[in-house]
Amino acid sequence: MTEVFNRKEMHKIVNVEVQSPASVPSSWRGIGRKVGLLLPYVWPRGSVCLQGLVLLCVGLLLTERLVNVLVPVYSKNIVNDLSAGNNWTSLVASVCIYTLLKFLQGGGAGTSGFISNLRQFLWIKVQQFTSRGVQVRLFSHLHALSLRWHLDRKTGDVLRSIDRGTSSINNLLSYILFSILPTICDIIVAIVYFSSYFSLWFGLIVFICMVLYLTCTIFITEWRTKYRREMNIQDNNAKTRLLTLSSTLKQLIQSAFVDMENMLDLLTEQVEVKDAVDAQDLHLTAGRVEFDKVCFSYVPGLEVLKEVTFAVEPGHTVALVGPSGSGKSSILRLLFRFYDLQSGSIRVDGQDISKVCQSSLRGCIGVVPQDTVLFNDTIGNNIRYSRMTATQQEVEQAARAADIHARIQELPQGYETEVGERGLKLSGGEKQRVAIARTILKQPQIILLDEATSSLDTQTERNIQASLAKICTNKTTIVVAHRLSTIVDADQILVLHTGKIAERGRHEELLTQGGLYAAMWSKQQRILHSDAKTEVSKRGKSSR
């Protein structure tokens, strides 16, 4: 059954690839824009050494063109000297020069000469500069795109487009600079040479042959383009579904342009949340956060927050509670300015966050999320991620404050211990402590806790809460909480319901009101008592 299914699925995919797709735009369309995006990376601004390498490579290219012209000339001289038979001095000189020229040129098809090998070796540094520059720009651009865009995209498609696009950049530039342009130069030299030394008819024959050849090449590659583009689409689907397809379709330039289309589309993706033209850095003084009649919706017509108004005084803690979908996490996302508001305003120390630089806003905010993101790197580097310039001593101080330094010291490699993919080598509590250490190292004035302990057991949660209490002292703190027992000491608790603040006050005040918060508290207490009785019952049976 599995084999039949696999054959059917593969048959569908293969059929899609071989069928002639609908009319698709030519890959040569917008060639100026595509090349224009890449050419700035060929000339390494700010590096005199790399600029010298570029000029040297261009000089070697011109020398190689000159050698190609001189080789047949000296080949002719050798034949003439041999025919004459009496000019041995000239013959020896011609043979020596011819040998040197062949050494510089190479031995023919598939064999590169000294000049070509030297140019390729010197060009490696420029290639690395170009590749790094494009990738950094693309990476920064993707980070600048809104959270909405990232949530709507398939990660496999994006990664595949980046990998395929960046891998074709160096090939494309090499083809243009060291294959296409030299070939055009050779054609022009050949036409001029044949026309000057023989007859205009010879030059015309060479010209007509090259025009016919290039015309046929362009038409054939255009015909192949639709299959190449469709192959890329199916390759993205295969990446997502973990299927591997092979294709026999390979003309070098056309393939490189098609491969780059997805990556260039990513670069031209419009940034939804932008800094204002006159945006200034956020001047943080006390860390007062204020939401003023904030309205927001992910989808037009379906409001998530409806005129939400509250303030968090400097050094105070405000907790957000409520059922799923009530808008708790949306408040944190808006404070980070992952989205722009429909109406209302959010201010930090009296400054509207839509009018300040996003980098300065996010630089003063620390987050301890529910699901900590760790890189497959050392524990020390994962902590240092929040402030890359931090010293080892500062990293260790942050780890001590997060109560994880002793645990790290117990590991064989200490702070050099690899955490594994997504931190799988660490327990849930250890990952949370790494996130806390990150926040401590960043030294933010505003701290966001997004259900940081909801996925931990009770004892680990208590230990983590003690660490969180240390870092939140004298800090403006906003807590999204699922377990109400963790926020009983908050200065203010906001109960959200259907996008509005239904209740607000301290823990005791809300219990006295007997509203939504009191009902949530009673329900959680009943569950805790039930779990406690079950645990006691299990212990009693095991003791018997």
Side-chain angles (χ1 to χ4, degrees):
M1 179 68 70
T2 305
E3 292 181 357
V4 173
F5 172 78
N6 289 339
R7 286 200 298 269
K8 289 182 177 178
E9 291 299 312
M10 291 296 291
H11 180 67
K12 290 178 183 178
I13 295 173
V14 172
N15 277 346
V16 171
E17 185 165 1
V18 232
Q19 288 171 354
S20 296
S23 59
V24 292
S26 169
S27 64
W28 295 97
R29 180 180 299 174
I31 185 174
R33 176 181 62 86
K34 297 174 183 178
V35 176
L37 285 172
L38 300 178
L39 286 183
Y41 297 100
V42 178
W43 183 251
R45 296 181 180 177
S47 176
V48 178
C49 294
L50 288 179
Q51 290 175 357
L53 282 179
V54 173
L55 295 177
L56 180 57
C57 289
V58 173
L60 291 173
L61 178 63
L62 297 177
T63 304
E64 192 175 12
R65 298 304 100 194
L66 177 62
V67 169
N68 289 341
V69 174
L70 293 178
V71 165
V73 172
Y74 276 90
S75 177
K76 178 200 70 172
N77 293 341
I78 292 174
V79 173
N80 292 340
D81 290 340
L82 286 174
S83 301
N86 56 359
N87 194 352
W88 294 102
T89 303
S90 175
L91 175 62
V92 171
S94 297
V95 169
C96 291
I97 295 176
Y98 179 80
T99 303
L100 176 62
L101 292 175
K102 288 299 291 183
F103 170 75
L104 296 177
Q105 182 194 44
T111 305
S112 299
F114 177 79
I115 295 180
S116 179
N117 285 325
L118 179 60
R119 173 176 52 76
Q120 292 175 8
F121 175 76
L122 295 176
W123 189 253
I124 291 176
K125 289 289 185 182
V126 183
Q127 277 186 331
Q128 292 173 343
F129 170 85
T130 302
S131 181
R132 181 173 63 251
V134 173
Q135 291 185 45
V136 168
R137 177 184 173 184
L138 178 61
F139 191 69
S140 302
H141 183 75
L142 290 178
H143 272 271
L145 295 178
S146 67
L147 182 61
R148 187 194 312 276
W149 184 88
H150 285 282
L151 294 177
D152 291 339
R153 296 290 293 187
K154 294 181 180 178
T155 304
D157 286 355
V158 175
L159 294 178
R160 186 58 177 160
S161 298
I162 294 174
D163 292 340
R164 190 169 52 232
T166 53
S167 65
S168 65
I169 289 174
N170 290 330
N171 292 334
L172 177 63
L173 292 177
S174 297
Y175 299 152
I176 293 175
L177 295 176
F178 301 125
S179 294
I180 300 301
L181 293 181
T183 301
I184 294 175
C185 292
D186 287 342
I187 293 173
I188 295 175
V189 170
I191 293 174
V192 173
Y193 187 85
F194 278 98
S195 300
S196 302
Y197 282 88
F198 299 101
S199 170
L200 288 176
W201 289 106
F202 285 93
L204 183 61
I205 291 172
V206 174
F207 176 76
I208 293 175
C209 289
M210 294 311 303
V211 168
L212 291 176
Y213 173 77
L214 291 176
T215 302
C216 292
T217 300
I218 292 174
F219 275 113
I220 292 175
T221 51
E222 279 297 311
W223 172 75
R224 290 175 58 249
T225 297
K226 54 186 178 183
Y227 297 105
R228 179 73 185 190
R229 185 176 285 108
E230 183 65 18
M231 184 193 75
N232 284 346
I233 295 173
Q234 297 305 327
D235 186 38
N236 286 347
N237 294 335
K239 190 73 173 181
T240 304
R241 300 176 186 175
L242 299 179
L243 295 175
T244 304
L245 296 178
S246 61
S247 173
T248 56
L249 299 176
K250 301 286 184 180
Q251 278 302 93
L252 297 175
I253 291 293
Q254 198 74 5
S255 299
F257 272 133
V258 176
D259 287 344
M260 289 174 58
E261 282 184 350
N262 297 127
M263 188 197 71
L264 293 175
D265 288 342
L266 292 178
L267 279 174
T268 56
E269 188 73 34
Q270 294 298 316
V271 178
E272 183 177 343
V273 180
K274 298 181 180 179
D275 288 337
V277 178
D278 56 347
Q280 302 293 326
D281 286 342
L282 175 68
H283 298 290
L284 193 68
T285 54
R288 186 178 192 272
V289 177
E290 183 180 2
F291 278 61
D292 185 13
K293 296 182 179 178
V294 170
C295 294
F296 173 71
S297 62
Y298 294 101
V299 180
L302 186 60
E303 284 191 315
V304 177
L305 298 177
K306 306 171 184 176
E307 295 195 350
V308 171
T309 300
F310 69 91
V312 188
E313 299 300 328
H316 284 204
T317 297
V318 168
L320 306 176
V321 301
S324 298
S326 57
K328 305 185 298 296
S329 296
S330 298
I331 289 179
L332 302 189
R333 293 173 179 174
L334 293 176
L335 180 56
F336 244 97
R337 208 186 163 203
F338 284 150
Y339 300 94
D340 280 332
L341 309 178
Q342 267 69 59
S343 63
S345 64
I346 302 175
R347 295 186 288 273
V348 175
D349 284 337
Q351 302 161 78
D352 193 328
I353 65 171
S354 65
K355 299 179 181 178
V356 301
C357 296
Q358 298 176 60
S359 58
S360 64
L361 170 67
R362 294 167 183 172
C364 69
I365 301 176
V367 181
V368 181
Q370 177 181 358
D371 185 16
T372 303
V373 178
L374 297 183
F375 304 100
N376 192 4
D377 203 338
T378 64
I379 293 181
N381 286 339
N382 271 282
I383 296 176
R384 190 179 282 108
Y385 176 68
S386 62
R387 183 156 60 90
M388 300 301 294
T389 57
T391 64
Q392 181 63 26
Q393 183 180 3
E394 291 174 322
V395 171
E396 292 182 8
Q397 288 176 351
R400 286 190 183 94
D403 198 20
I404 194 177
H405 175 74
R407 172 57 183 152
I408 296 176
Q409 293 291 78
E410 294 174 357
L411 299 173
Q413 295 179 305
Y415 283 86
E416 296 301 314
T417 302
E418 298 282 341
V419 302
E421 189 70 26
R422 302 186 305 279
L424 293 178
K425 294 182 180 179
L426 302 181
S427 66
E430 290 170 342
K431 288 196 290 186
Q432 288 299 90
R433 291 184 189 278
V434 170
I436 294 172
R438 276 181 180 173
T439 305
I440 295 173
L441 187 64
K442 188 176 183 181
Q443 299 177 346
Q445 184 58 37
I446 302 172
I447 296 178
L448 308 181
L449 306 178
D450 189 4
E451 300 193 52
T453 61
S454 62
S455 60
L456 304 176
D457 60 86
T458 304
Q459 185 57 47
T460 304
E461 179 187 36
R462 291 173 181 171
N463 297 335
I464 297 295
Q465 284 295 330
S467 299
L468 291 174
K470 294 179 183 178
I471 69 169
C472 294
T473 303
N474 299 324
K475 305 287 187 182
T476 303
T477 308
I478 300 179
V479 184
V480 171
H482 173 71
R483 298 178 183 173
L484 303 184
S485 59
T486 63
I487 46 94
V488 293
D489 296 326
D491 297 292
Q492 184 178 203
I493 299 173
L494 304 179
V495 183
L496 293 171
H497 184 66
T498 63
K500 296 181 179 179
I501 298 179
E503 301 173 5
R504 69 176 75 202
R506 293 183 63 88
H507 173 70
E508 297 81 5
E509 298 171 353
L510 294 175
L511 288 181
T512 304
Q513 293 177 12
L516 292 174
Y517 182 84
M520 294 168 59
W521 175 263
S522 299
K523 182 178 180 180
Q524 290 192 9
Q525 291 302 306
R526 286 196 300 270
I527 294 175
L528 287 176
H529 289 314
S530 176
D531 292 342
K533 289 180 180 179
T534 303
E535 184 64 25
V536 171
S537 175
K538 289 181 178 179
R539 291 179 181 176
K541 291 180 180 179
S542 61
S543 62
R544 295 175 187 174

